Amino acid sequence: MIFDAAVDGQTHRVEVTGSKGRYTVAVDGRPLEVDWREVGGPFVSLLVGGRSHHVALEPRPGGYRVLVDSHDFAVDVLETTRDAVLAPRGPAGPARLVAPMPGRIVRVLAEPGQEVEAGQGLVVMEAMKMENELRSPRAGRVVEVHARELQTVETGFLLVVVE
Amino acid sequence: MIFDAAVDGQTHRVEVTGSKGRYTVAVDGRPLEVDWREVGGPFVSLLVGGRSHHVALEPRPGGYRVLVDSHDFAVDVLETTRDAVLAPRGPAGPARLVAPMPGRIVRVLAEPGQEVEAGQGLVVMEAMKMENELRSPRAGRVVEVHARELQTVETGFLLVVVE
Amino acid sequence: MSERIFRKILVANRGEIAVRVIRACREMGIVSVAVFSEADRAARHVRLADEAWPIGPPRAADSYLRIDRVIDAARASGADAVHPGYGFLAENAGFARACEEAGLVFIGPRSQTIALVGEKTSARRLAVAAGLPVVPGTLEPLVDDAAIRREAERIGFPLMLKAAAGGGGKGLRLVASAAELVSAAGRARSEARSAFGDDRVYVEKALVRPRHVEIQVMADHHGNVVHLFERECSIQRRHQKVVEETPSPLLTPDLRARMGMLAVALVRKSGYVNAGTLEFLMDESREPYFLEMNTRLQVEHPVTELVTGVDLVKLQIGIAQGEPLPFAQADLVQRGHAIECRVYAEDPDAGFLPCPGRILALRVPGGPGIRDDSGVEEGDEVPSYYDPLVSKLVAWGEDRASAIARMRRAVREYKVLGIKTTLPFFERVLRHPDFLAGRIDTSFVERLGREKQAEEERPWAVAAAAAAIGALARRRAARTTPGAGPAPSAWRREGRREAMGGRG
Amino acid sequence: MSERIFRKILVANRGEIAVRVIRACREMGIVSVAVFSEADRAARHVRLADEAWPIGPPRAADSYLRIDRVIDAARASGADAVHPGYGFLAENAGFARACEEAGLVFIGPRSQTIALVGEKTSARRLAVAAGLPVVPGTLEPLVDDAAIRREAERIGFPLMLKAAAGGGGKGLRLVASAAELVSAAGRARSEARSAFGDDRVYVEKALVRPRHVEIQVMADHHGNVVHLFERECSIQRRHQKVVEETPSPLLTPDLRARMGMLAVALVRKSGYVNAGTLEFLMDESREPYFLEMNTRLQVEHPVTELVTGVDLVKLQIGIAQGEPLPFAQADLVQRGHAIECRVYAEDPDAGFLPCPGRILALRVPGGPGIRDDSGVEEGDEVPSYYDPLVSKLVAWGEDRASAIARMRRAVREYKVLGIKTTLPFFERVLRHPDFLAGRIDTSFVERLGREKQAEEERPWAVAAAAAAIGALARRRAARTTPGAGPAPSAWRREGRREAMGGRG
């Protein structure tokens, strides 16, 4: 099976063959022999050419969060074919800023039409006893603002859209 | 719902009413108000009249192994009716001695027809680098001996039946 | 003060510190009583306590901060004493007074001492009187914006705005210039109001790249006072400590002894009793300035416990029972080195944004020299209502280098699934050359955030391979097992739990 | 001996001791190589190591005891040195020699020292020469039943039959009278043969209610020798230690110093290098008799680490690198008290019968003063092929009473589901009046087994209620959720795991 796997925003072609814990995985054409054993819950023991890795896989939209030893990766996995063009990655389409936790909007720092930088503060939320600045996921223009000051919001509430 | 619960070989009549984490449990007619919350896996937090208990329930044939704080109970649970006579407990029917682990039979100490005491050694097994004496679960007469010296057995293999 | 023995202690807190105090009670043979909000019914501190009493809805203002409800629970349970932990009501003189009036022993200083020392500007005045150097700033709390502006102009920028009733980094703002003053003051006051119910602030000169070193003190009811050496707390994010250690790599034996003497002087001057901590700032010339005193157990107390061999919580309880300190200053010796990393439910890649949620899987490190003071177990929820501290990971080693190496080993073993935590951030701190050399100040975290992580060190190809195999296995399972869905097994406990019949 | 730095160490062991050594390697920046049998492919020591090499089928004789395969793995992985742990090949002079011949540093004494000291009767002869008192008995190994009978009659009953190559309680029998001698000798020799490949035994007079106290020693390649005080190991079942502590409640400072000097004398006499332990028996008059020397790291080494602050495994590695001891005898100080409880996969209610199986759920204690050296995590299998030691739980306290109280607290927090363990047994030991008073000898466990547990202390009504609610919830779930079966959610992971596509 062939996948495009985007690790930390960088896309790689990954081809997997094998079964029952023994896999050959070609990452960008470089082959890895992988011995895979699930060890309870999300944990997997991988042996890759004699190297041992303690791995955990947490499903997330589009792929997995992958812990490898002390490293934390977000990996998007998309099934593809051998001849497909490598899927492009990067800022494409509007970016939606949603509330990462329940809380109260303290200040709204953006208004529709405003040009913003990546990382610029858009909304200040009070949650878990702290005021937290929520930042723009990308540079662009603010097209929608749904956050209202003093409003109480739940996790996932759409606050701002940047295009 | 009404159960006969045998704890450490002593049978009690237990009547449970309630739902959604709030139960009234009468144990031998003595009522307990139980607040029950499952907290992941086999673990349950119980509040019983202000007392807090960290409990784990492990299913076993006939009931549960129940850990309450630092105590370890084997509880047999049998559904019954209010008017039923309390189920009797104790040595009834033949007792089957089975291999508790895989290993090798080193010595067979019992033969058919022999009278044995509760706790008397019947079979010596070598497993986990030690010789282990397997003892009679009850006093009685040996009626079947399936263990053979130097035989390798798996967990659950029927070794001896005492009647 | 005559001695008495506590039969039962109510722990007026939640999370890891409630667990810490409950453990001390159990080891002393004292019955522990937990209190819990509706969000915490099945929390770990409830499970570990002998008894547990509900005190209201999830919001802290409706439960853990409700003096009346906590006192009612203490009375109803028949507790002899109350341990406040840190945070919530721990430095609330009104709560200490309410305990005293209800005939409950408050495990901490007397209520009037808390009022005197806990209020930051009055502590500063007291420190000046006891001969301690203080950071230039106001000695009285400021009640309106005009007064703040006036004092700010007198002291000059950069400056710090701080909650008079404060602690734990709440209601605290660094103000670089006059232009930022009004909005910073607004935020600091609003945070202070919601955290402490008191929006008075004060102004202090901001030191350049200061280091933050504190001294632990203990005083009994018989006039005995000792210090238990220092803790280095310069690694902070959002003015909150995240990594602490002892001994401080900065202190010489002379400086340590001098700071300890200053701390003891202030304790004697104020008639202070029980555990307390004096916080000092140090500038680049290593000159210490008294900053404030925390009139309670400190979050980072375990590092002191590991190098001195003293159990501070048991000692607090002993002092509250009227016992004299079981040792003199000369008996106290620092052995080895200890570091604490605070494992927060926060995303370090998103500016330490809180990240509450359910812990779907957990693997806690163990082995030599590792102590984990955790408020959670696998399956537990980190609620969004409270401080996102999940656990304190503490490492002891023969010297600083081995403590650091051990902490790195433990951070690598620590696995938390379901939420993001500060663990990957610690990995970076613990191998940073400045940290290894002890070149740390309160701007360290900000500097670290600007440095890009070396790419080649990250095993990204293994991550890509693992994700692809996971996706493959998932698809095959979906094809062959009609009941199997898209997620690996452990992740579906949630739904299953309800099917088990309980409420979860 | 010139100093060298190890880049990579192969750990020739499994379970908790392999984990212990791998952790030390990681903290020292040394690459660790695990070896594993087919039963241990996904075991914790494999997961934690940097590299892992298969060495054969599950049976130890086909894998962990195969000198050739371990040496091959060490060569193939490019290891500089081999750490043997305890058990398996740790006291096998042939293995140490094979390492030496392959150019690998064996982390332990020289092979000829192992042969000299590890063989029990030759160690006894050496001890006599060094001036140590020994238990009356044979000084030469016995090769046939006739010789055993002759020596037994000379020494008198009760006596101990012991494997000459032995250790860890294997091949060891107490013989009360001449009638038992033949069958006991048969068993001891068969166990010794299967455990050590050597069925020679020797005979020692059995002391009445003896206590078992051992001395830890460390010697470098430069002639420096120190002892790290004693460990009290009298709590044994089946002649295997289950609870150890230090300091021993039995020893006076004078006796401790004298036993330490005797231990150092034997080490010097034998040219011993690296870590070793001298075991002594003490009779009721507190007179110590040398019993044997273990030429390797001891299972119970953590209690010594906790009171001395010395990391014995790192020290072993340092010595093997040719470094001198970093301290002298006078630098070593005992601080506080430490106790170890060995958590075995055994059913204490069934005569400590081994109880292998999968650990379906696990909650490990933490917090102040607790160290857990475990070979497993939740979901792991305890195989039936090896020693059933799951974990070593260690508690440190300021004194013996607080260490005991802390251990009791930790035992209560420890939850192991899926298999039976010795944890409930420790609960009984830790509150027994004789244990609390330090009145312990090697017959303690047997005496405890004859005492009935007080019924009223066990919360049986809560257990009955919990089981009934569990059964009710199960039945309701079965009615409303067609997919839900009889068992609570977490217990069905097993089946699900296969559906996830891997092999588990």
Side-chain angles (χ1 to χ4, degrees), chain D residues 317-462:
Chain D
I317 295 171
I319 288 170
Q321 288 184 149
E323 296 163 20
L325 284 174
F327 44 70
Q329 188 67 55
D331 299 324
L332 292 168
V333 179
Q334 293 172 296
R335 179 191 262 191
H337 196 99
I339 303 182
E340 170 180 285
C341 287
R342 300 193 191 181
V343 182
Y344 279 105
E346 292 180 350
D347 185 350
D349 293 329
F352 296 97
L353 201 65
C355 192
R358 192 172 295 280
I359 294 175
L360 295 175
L362 185 64
R363 293 294 181 270
V364 175
I370 293 302
R371 165 174 169 183
D372 182 54
D373 271 33
S374 178
V376 300
E377 291 180 305
E378 186 171 298
D380 285 352
E381 183 88 25
V382 180
S384 57
Y385 301 100
Y386 317 111
D387 187 90
L389 183 61
V390 171
S391 168
K392 297 179 323 204
L393 180 62
V394 196
W396 180 92
E398 293 161 51
D399 51 30
R400 187 167 189 266
S402 53
I404 292 173
R406 189 162 270 170
M407 180 62 92
R408 280 193 64 183
R409 188 268 291 171
V411 165
R412 183 183 161 127
E413 290 178 16
Y414 218 135
K415 312 278 180 192
V416 186
L417 280 285
I419 58 169
K420 295 261 189 178
T421 71
T422 41
L423 285 167
F425 164 74
F426 296 131
E427 234 285 317
R428 295 188 60 195
V429 171
L430 295 167
R431 61 191 165 84
H432 195 283
D434 284 350
F435 183 78
L436 298 179
R439 286 190 302 267
I440 43 181
D441 60 67
T442 53
S443 70
F444 176 85
V445 173
E446 204 189 318
R447 278 186 285 139
L448 189 73
R450 286 194 301 266
E451 294 176 12
K452 199 170 152 42
Q453 212 170 344
E455 194 62 34
E456 62 273 61
E457 288 183 35
R458 286 169 60 80
W460 62 266
V462 174

Side-chain angles (χ1 to χ4, degrees), chain D residues 156-199:
Chain D
F157 296 92
L159 56 76
M160 300 296 293
L161 269 174
K162 299 187 169 185
K170 279 146 198 164
L172 192 146
R173 283 287 179 283
L174 173 65
V175 187
S177 66
E180 297 175 13
L181 186 64
V182 174
S183 88
R187 280 212 219 170
R189 292 176 66 182
S190 107
E191 260 183 45
R193 195 181 312 118
S194 93
F196 315 109
D198 179 349
D199 70 351

Side-chain angles (χ1 to χ4, degrees), chain D residues 147-171:
Chain D
I148 292 171
R149 203 171 317 116
R150 196 172 52 244
E151 282 298 308
E153 276 158 21
R154 185 177 67 81
I155 290 158
F157 296 92
L159 56 76
M160 300 296 293
L161 269 174
K162 299 187 169 185
K170 279 146 198 164

Side-chain angles (χ1 to χ4, degrees), chain C residues 146-157:
Chain C
I148 294 172
R149 202 172 317 117
R150 196 171 54 240
E151 283 298 308
E153 275 158 21
R154 184 175 69 81
I155 290 157
F157 295 92

Side-chain angles (χ1 to χ4, degrees), chain D residues 273-294:
Chain D
V273 163
N274 217 302
T277 294
L278 284 85
E279 304 205 346
F280 291 87
L281 284 184
M282 299 180 90
D283 60 15
E284 286 175 327
S285 68
R286 302 196 187 186
E287 195 53 38
Y289 297 98
F290 171 76
L291 194 60
E292 60 182 47
M293 181 165 182
N294 296 327

Side-chain angles (χ1 to χ4, degrees), chain C residues 23 27 307 311 333 335 363 367 372-373 377-378 405-406 409 412-413 473 477 489 493 496 499-500, chain D residues 23 26-27 307 311 333 335 363 367 372-373 377-378 405-406 409 413 473 477 489 493 496 499-500:
Chain C
R23 282 170 164 159
E27 292 174 16
V307 301
D311 186 313
V333 179
R335 176 190 265 190
R363 292 294 181 269
D372 181 54
D373 272 32
E377 293 180 303
E378 186 171 297
R406 190 161 270 170
R409 186 271 289 172
R412 183 183 161 125
E413 288 178 19
S489 54
R493 263 199 237 164
R496 188 68 30 78
M500 186 176 160
Chain D
R23 282 172 164 158
R26 174 146 294 134
E27 292 173 17
V307 301
D311 187 312
V333 179
R335 179 191 262 191
R363 293 294 181 270
D372 182 54
D373 271 33
E377 291 180 305
E378 186 171 298
R406 189 162 270 170
R409 188 268 291 171
E413 290 178 16
S489 52
R493 264 198 240 164
R496 188 69 31 76
M500 187 173 160

